[in-house]
Amino acid sequence: MAAQKKLTRAEQKALRPIQILDAAFEEFVRSGFAGTRVEDIADRVGVTKGTVYVYFETKEKLFEAMINHFSVPFQELLGITESLSGSVTDRLTSILGLLYEQVAEDRTTRELTRLVIAEGHRFPDLIDRHHDQFIEPIIAKVDALILEGVASKEFREVPVEFSDIVVAPILTTTVLRLIFDDRRVPIPNKDAFLRTYFDLLLHGLLAKPH
């Protein structure tokens, strides 16, 4: 087994902000914003409290940077949706499948959702920006696909608010897992969940359901 390459001082310094953000995420998840101490974040990284403040001036700025850092997958998801091809049905189910994986199945995104809900009142501007930058574009993409399907007669006429109903099962599953973990709500089998989800959805959308 090859020996692991030792990082140079410059490489270690370049990685330090990410290490701090990763540690901050775990502490904020464990203790919430008010209960998290910067020294505990520093201990996770193996640095001093002062080192954390070199990169992030306050705990508030650290929290904001952490939320933005762990929201990047939503940007990547949006990028993937732009390259999808096929019928409107194919593209819509592909997007929803990716969204389910990213939101309901990914532990980091689930815990990020918990933090957004729990600390939103403390950081309303941050949460609004998070929604505008990462969530709204995905919902807008779902809206656009539904309208495209209606225009092409692939879908029947549906209310404008239908996209909220479309994503609701994913959000419900996510919230239930946040509340109960797997104590009372068994973790759904991904393939079975998506198969049932798409079957119900398409029977409500398709002009001529299969």
Side-chain angles (χ1 to χ4, degrees), residues 1-187:
M1 186 183 203
Q4 188 173 7
K5 179 185 174 183
K6 186 175 181 179
L7 297 177
T8 65
R9 185 178 296 274
E11 289 171 331
Q12 289 176 337
K13 186 174 182 180
L15 282 174
R16 191 69 73 209
I18 302 302
Q19 292 171 334
I20 292 172
L21 291 173
D22 289 343
F25 173 79
E26 296 299 337
E27 286 297 321
F28 285 129
V29 165
R30 184 172 73 90
S31 304
F33 179 83
T36 293
R37 304 188 312 162
V38 173
E39 47 263 54
D40 292 333
I41 295 171
D43 287 344
R44 277 185 179 267
V45 183
V47 298
T48 65
K49 178 179 176 180
T51 299
V52 175
Y53 285 126
V54 167
Y55 295 96
F56 306 98
E57 296 176 3
T58 64
K59 189 168 77 166
E60 287 79 7
K61 289 186 180 298
L62 175 56
F63 184 85
E64 292 186 19
M66 181 274 298
I67 291 290
N68 289 329
H69 173 65
F70 284 99
S71 296
V72 168
F74 286 103
Q75 281 184 317
E76 297 172 348
L77 175 61
L78 189 62
I80 293 172
T81 67
E82 298 299 331
S83 63
L84 295 175
S85 59
S87 68
V88 178
T89 297
D90 289 341
R91 283 177 282 151
L92 180 61
T93 54
S94 292
I95 288 175
L96 295 174
L98 291 168
L99 190 61
Y100 178 82
E101 290 179 355
Q102 184 61 57
V103 176
E105 291 210 321
D106 184 83
R107 180 251 175 184
T108 299
T109 305
R110 287 201 310 274
E111 294 299 341
L112 186 67
T113 302
R114 188 198 302 277
L115 286 171
V116 166
I117 294 171
E119 307 295 348
H121 68 286
R122 196 185 300 268
F123 300 92
D125 292 341
L126 170 65
I127 301 309
D128 287 349
R129 288 198 305 273
H130 175 272
H131 181 272
D132 292 344
Q133 293 174 9
F134 305 112
I135 307 302
E136 184 59 34
I138 295 174
I139 299 301
K141 186 68 176 179
V142 172
D143 277 335
L145 280 173
I146 292 174
L147 290 174
E148 182 182 343
V150 171
S152 66
K153 307 300 183 183
E154 189 172 337
F155 296 162
R156 65 185 181 85
E157 291 282 350
V158 292
V160 175
E161 300 82 4
F162 197 78
S163 59
D164 293 336
I165 299 172
V166 169
V167 300
I170 297 174
L171 298 179
T172 299
T173 300
T174 303
V175 171
L176 288 175
R177 290 190 65 181
L178 284 173
I179 295 172
F180 297 110
D181 196 11
D182 58 353
R183 297 190 310 277
R184 292 178 179 269
V185 181
I187 298 175

